[in-house]
Amino acid sequence: MSLKVVVLACVAVVALCDKAPVHAPHSPVYAPRPSYHAPAPYYAPEPAYHAPKPAYHAPKHYENEYPDVPPKYNYNYGVADGYSGANFGHTESRDATTCKISVSIGLRRNFGL
């Protein structure tokens, strides 16, 4: 029985709320039209910074650190290790444009593997 009463109350509420409320319309608001002015022309200010003049100095006369003489040298090294059996060396000699290089490598055939 109480369900019938609740359903009837809901139907009555829906029937009464079906119409939108009627309100008096607002009076129109009149405002003056906006006025736009052209912007003032822009003039860039003068730069406050002036680039300095280049301070270039001619290079001084350059003297070579080393004299211009043809190269001449002799160089060698060698290793003879009795434990591992390694025996190798390198010899190099140069006189102006002639260069002689000698390399010797002597390793033991059996590396103990």
Side-chain angles (χ1 to χ4, degrees), residues 1-3 7 19 22 45 58-59 64-65 68 71 76 82 84 86 91 93 97 109 113:
M1 175 78 176
S2 62
L3 181 61
V7 170
K19 297 178 183 176
V22 179
N64 288 336
E65 267 185 64
D68 291 333
N76 61 18
S84 66
T91 304
S93 63
T97 58
R109 283 201 180 280
L113 298 176

Side-chain angles (χ1 to χ4, degrees), residues 47-56:
Y49 171 78
H50 299 288
K53 294 180 182 178
Y56 174 75

Side-chain angles (χ1 to χ4, degrees), residues 20-72:
V22 179
H23 296 291
H26 294 290
S27 60
V29 177
Y30 295 103
R33 292 180 60 189
S35 61
Y36 299 102
H37 303 288
Y42 175 76
Y43 299 105
E46 290 294 322
Y49 171 78
H50 299 288
K53 294 180 182 178
Y56 174 75
H57 302 290
K60 296 179 181 177
H61 181 66
Y62 178 73
E63 292 290 333
N64 288 336
E65 267 185 64
Y66 303 103
D68 291 333
V69 295
K72 183 176 182 179

